[in-house]
Amino acid sequence: MQDAKTWAQRFPMDRPPSMEELDRYADNPLWPELRRYLKDAYGAEPRTEYSRCGLEPGWNLKFKKGSKSLATVYLRPGYVTAMISIAPKDEPEAEGVLLTCTEYTRTLYHNTASSKMGRWLMVDLTSPEILEDIKSLLALRAKPAKQ
């Protein structure tokens, strides 16, 4: 059972959480699988960064393949949210990928405004099917080394 402290209260800017603390806080059985996939397919290890964002300050995890950003992961008790950016140049390919995705992911994509910076999808990892959607969307950002 999680206590009532917020993420920022549990782990202030001067106290980065360990991976074990991150896993316990997320308490999501799909989270280790997503992390393992990012490592195996892209060689991407999580890098913790502190965000001072007024809406949701606290630690998040950035995953990169070389210098290319793949995803930023936000954790809440029982929830994992992956922010994946779809570049404008990748939107036509994304439309094809979406045909194989869940209704949730298709709706999220179409309800997320497009800008010159792309679409920033905040995908809640709530099922194995959505994990597969995340993998498909990540492949738009960078091709995995292993499939």
Side-chain angles (χ1 to χ4, degrees), residues 27-42:
D27 191 27
N28 180 318
L30 297 168
W31 163 234
E33 191 174 339
L34 174 59
R35 198 172 68 240
R36 190 172 32 257
Y37 174 77
L38 286 160
K39 181 179 181 181
D40 293 348
Y42 294 101

Side-chain angles (χ1 to χ4, degrees), residues 47-113:
R47 189 179 79 224
T48 54
E49 286 191 5
Y50 191 86
S51 172
R52 292 186 175 117
C53 173
L55 294 176
E56 196 164 351
W59 294 95
N60 58 51
L61 297 157
K62 304 241 186 230
F63 290 87
K64 291 184 174 188
K65 179 180 181 182
S67 63
K68 186 163 197 119
S69 176
L70 294 170
T72 301
V73 174
Y74 301 91
L75 304 174
R76 293 179 199 87
Y79 286 91
V80 173
T81 301
M83 184 185 72
I84 302 169
S85 174
I86 307 298
K89 69 177 182 61
D90 294 328
E91 287 188 9
E93 187 178 355
E95 293 287 339
V97 167
L98 288 169
L99 296 174
T100 65
C101 290
T102 62
E103 180 64 30
Y104 163 81
T105 300
R106 287 193 303 272
T107 300
L108 177 67
Y109 179 87
H110 292 295
N111 288 341
T112 301

Side-chain angles (χ1 to χ4, degrees), residues 100-135:
T100 65
C101 290
T102 62
E103 180 64 30
Y104 163 81
T105 300
R106 287 193 303 272
T107 300
L108 177 67
Y109 179 87
H110 292 295
N111 288 341
T112 301
S114 182
S115 72
K116 65 180 179 179
M117 304 264 311
R119 291 177 199 251
W120 294 10
L121 305 178
M122 300 296 285
V123 185
D124 289 327
L125 179 56
T126 57
S127 72
E129 295 79 14
I130 292 173
L131 176 59
E132 293 306 312
D133 293 352
I134 289 172
K135 292 176 183 180

